[in-house]
Amino acid sequence: ITNRGQVSRKLVRLSAAQGSAPAPGTELLGCGERLGKTGGLVTSSCTDPVDGTVHALGYLRRVFWSSRTQVTAGDLTLDVHSLDGD
């Protein structure tokens, strides 16, 4: 960080309204203007047994950090949220 001046990847929270949880190590790809660009990897995930929402953690590249960004893991589209409370 000191030599490069910035962090290139960050742990973020991911969520989807419905679907099956992606396996750890699943590649995250961009949507919209970043369609098909490699964003990072899923580190862990689960599906809520009550309402079926998907919750996951993943490491994403800097360009995907902003909230309201979406990424795909296989056929599942996930919303990106900061771990800082966003």
Side-chain angles (χ1 to χ4, degrees), residues 28-40 64 69-72:
L28 297 168
L29 300 174
C31 294
E33 64 186 43
R34 294 185 183 94
L35 184 63
K37 302 280 185 186
T38 301
F64 295 94
T69 298
Q70 291 185 322
V71 293
T72 60

Side-chain angles (χ1 to χ4, degrees), residues 12-22 28 42 44-46 52-58 60 68-73 76-82 86:
V12 296
R13 184 172 55 93
L14 305 163
S15 66
Q18 293 288 324
S20 59
L28 297 168
V42 173
S44 60
S45 64
C46 68
T53 57
V54 176
H55 303 281
L57 294 174
L60 282 180
R68 293 177 291 285
T69 298
Q70 291 185 322
V71 293
T72 60
L76 181 65
T77 301
L78 298 158
D79 297 316
V80 177
H81 308 279
S82 172
D86 174 24

